[in-house]
């Protein structure tokens, strides 16, 4: 940020559908953040997007936005295969980065970008927004308290219907696939609630084409001995399934819809202490995420979804693809 600036000025790479929910609406209620610019491959589309959402500046292309002196940080919601390239470019231009999940196309690229981020001293945050909501924080506390006892099994899922097969999320050239889009959440939740990064035991895939998964499941084994399973899909009989079940020696917990708790959610615990159901604020996960990003940039506070954490997530994703007999995703 330049001397005398009063707010964190963020530019958006691409007129993405996710940007209003993930950034623009949360920024409208955050006095420390301004969405100051947007660029898209089609300048006309960027201009229409800026007009609709009250964004002051339209840039000719991604490079112009990344290098603009009046932009402090970049929000990167581009297709998966482009995340690494443009996060790297933003860091080279001295910009902080909020990058949509998955962080990169594969673990090797994640390691490369994490090193660039570390060398830069800038804030780089992967946008696993659910990680910042009180619902998720409460679930973590239940596990850490020991109320469930020694963990036995962790099951996570994110399934939703996306029958539009021309969508970029089915495009191998853009690092698409159900595991990349929906499954990165299921893997992240398994790691978070399981307390460790697991080994992949086996994987089963349902294909859209020979390289693209429309659904995936995988069995996991954690170093401490508990087992796990992730399920994800963009088109399968599991039309809608979002959440986690954590089973311990003394009880179990269900976390329902941590990804969009503003729509519906609950946390239920059954243990030797009794049974209870808890609910939390309907304030969107994205608002908490933006608070955390601004805190990190403006006050140097740590973030929960670091590039180092992204390496671990992408390592599990790569291992699931390998276990399913599919090629790893590649940068675009």
């Amino acid at each position: 940020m330049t001397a005398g600036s009063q707010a964190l000025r963020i530019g958006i790479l691409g007129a993405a559908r996710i940007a209003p929910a993930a950034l623009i609406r949360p920024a409208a209620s955050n006095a420390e953040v301004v969405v100051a610019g947007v660029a898209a491959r089609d300048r006309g589309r960027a201009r229409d997007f800026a007009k609709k959402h009250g964004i002051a500046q339209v840039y000719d292309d991604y490079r112009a936005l990344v290098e603009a002196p009046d932009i402090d940080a970049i929000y990167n919601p581009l297709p998966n295969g482009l995340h690494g390239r443009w996060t790297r470019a933003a860091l080279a231009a001295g910009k902080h980065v909020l990058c949509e999940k998955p962080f990169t196309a594969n673990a090797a690229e994640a390691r490369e970008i994490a090193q660039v981020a570390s060398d830069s001293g800038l804030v780089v945050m992967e946008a696993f927004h659910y990680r910042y909501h009180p619902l998720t924080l409460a679930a973590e506390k239940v596990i850490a308290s020991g109320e469930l006892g020694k963990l036995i099994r962790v099951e996570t899922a994110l399934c939703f219907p996306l029958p539009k097969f021309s969508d970029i999320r089915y495009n191998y050239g853009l690092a698409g696939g159900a595991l990349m889009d929906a499954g990165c959440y299921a893997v992240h939740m398994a790691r978070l609630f399981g307390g460790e990064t697991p080994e992949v035991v086996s994987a089963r895939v349902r294909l859209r084409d020979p390289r693209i998964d429309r659904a995936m499941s995988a069995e996991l084994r954690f170093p401490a001995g508990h087992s796990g399973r992730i399920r994800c899909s963009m088109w399968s009989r599991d039309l809608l399934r979002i959440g986690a079940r954590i089973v311990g020696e003394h009880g179990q917990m269900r976390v329902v819809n941590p990804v969009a708790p503003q729509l519906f959610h609950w946390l239920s615990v059954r243990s030797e202490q009794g049974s209870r159901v808890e609910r939390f604020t309907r304030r969107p996960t994205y608002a908490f995420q933006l608070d955390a990003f601004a805190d990190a940039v403006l006050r140097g506070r740590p973030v929960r979804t670091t590039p180092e954490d992204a390496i671990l997530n992408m390592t599990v994703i790569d291992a699931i693809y390998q276990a399913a007999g599919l090629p790893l995703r590649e940068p675009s």
Side-chain angles (χ1 to χ4, degrees):
M1 297 177 64
T2 59
S5 61
Q6 298 300 307
L8 174 62
R9 300 164 302 183
I10 302 180
I12 304 173
L13 288 174
R17 286 180 302 228
I18 189 63
L23 178 64
I24 295 170
R25 288 198 291 272
S29 59
N30 188 323
E32 294 189 319
V33 176
V34 172
V35 180
V38 62
R41 289 177 299 173
D42 181 339
R43 182 177 171 82
R45 186 179 177 209
R47 186 172 57 248
D48 292 345
F49 186 88
K51 181 178 180 180
K52 179 177 180 179
H53 297 291
I55 300 172
Q57 184 66 41
V58 175
Y59 293 86
D60 288 337
D61 53 35
Y62 298 155
R63 179 68 59 182
L65 172 61
V66 160
E67 295 180 350
D70 52 352
I71 294 292
D72 305 307
I74 298 297
Y75 172 55
N76 182 355
L78 295 171
N80 302 336
L82 297 172
H83 285 175
R85 179 196 305 181
W86 287 102
T87 293
R88 186 188 303 107
L91 292 171
K95 305 298 192 290
H96 306 281
V97 180
L98 175 61
C99 182
E100 270 303 334
K101 36 53 64 181
F103 189 60
T104 52
N106 55 48
E109 189 183 28
R111 286 190 288 271
E112 176 192 341
I113 299 302
Q115 185 61 58
V116 174
S118 177
D119 293 343
S120 75
L122 296 163
V123 174
V124 180
M125 179 170 157
E126 187 176 17
F128 276 116
H129 48 99
Y130 87 98
R131 187 70 177 78
Y132 298 89
H133 195 274
L135 170 62
T136 300
L137 302 182
E140 288 183 83
K141 287 181 180 179
V142 171
I143 297 169
S145 74
E147 180 179 355
L148 304 180
K150 179 179 171 59
L151 295 185
I152 297 172
R153 188 161 175 83
V154 176
E155 297 178 345
T156 63
L158 201 156
C159 304
F160 65 89
L162 182 63
K164 183 182 178 183
F165 298 123
S166 61
D167 190 282
I168 61 170
R169 285 170 280 188
Y170 287 106
N171 187 325
Y172 180 80
L174 294 173
L179 181 60
M180 292 291 284
D181 190 75
C184 67
Y185 281 106
V187 169
H188 201 272
M189 287 190 287
R191 291 179 47 246
L192 178 63
F193 297 137
E196 302 173 301
T197 296
E199 172 190 352
V200 176
V201 176
S202 63
R204 295 182 62 185
V205 64
R206 294 184 178 91
L207 294 173
R208 168 58 191 165
D209 67 37
R211 296 184 297 179
I212 284 289
D213 48 312
R214 59 181 176 85
M216 183 80 78
S217 63
E219 285 292 320
L220 310 173
R221 180 168 51 239
F222 291 84
H226 47 293
S227 66
R229 180 179 64 186
I230 68 104
R231 281 191 285 179
C232 63
S233 81
M234 298 191 297
W235 189 242
S236 73
R237 287 178 292 181
D238 273 326
L239 287 181
L240 187 63
R241 187 186 299 268
I242 308 171
R245 185 173 76 103
I246 300 94
V247 180
E249 290 180 334
H250 303 312
Q252 65 175 284
M253 174 173 65
R254 289 190 67 205
V255 186
V256 175
N257 197 21
V259 174
Q262 66 272 19
L263 301 179
F264 68 92
H265 73 271
W266 69 82
L267 184 152
S268 64
V269 180
R270 188 172 72 249
S271 72
E272 294 172 347
Q273 299 177 21
S275 299
R276 65 185 184 276
V277 175
E278 299 182 32
R279 290 184 172 83
F280 301 86
T281 177
R282 292 297 183 95
R283 186 174 187 242
T285 51
Y286 292 115
F288 288 100
Q289 174 178 261
L290 187 59
D291 290 349
F293 185 65
D295 273 347
V297 173
L298 299 175
R299 286 173 284 278
R301 294 179 183 167
V303 301
R304 297 173 182 271
T305 50
T306 63
E308 292 72 25
D309 182 71
I311 294 171
L312 299 176
N313 220 57
M314 294 309 305
T315 297
V316 177
I317 289 171
D318 283 2
I320 294 172
Y321 274 129
Q322 289 172 326
L326 292 183
L328 302 188
R329 313 296 95 164
E330 296 293 339
S332 302

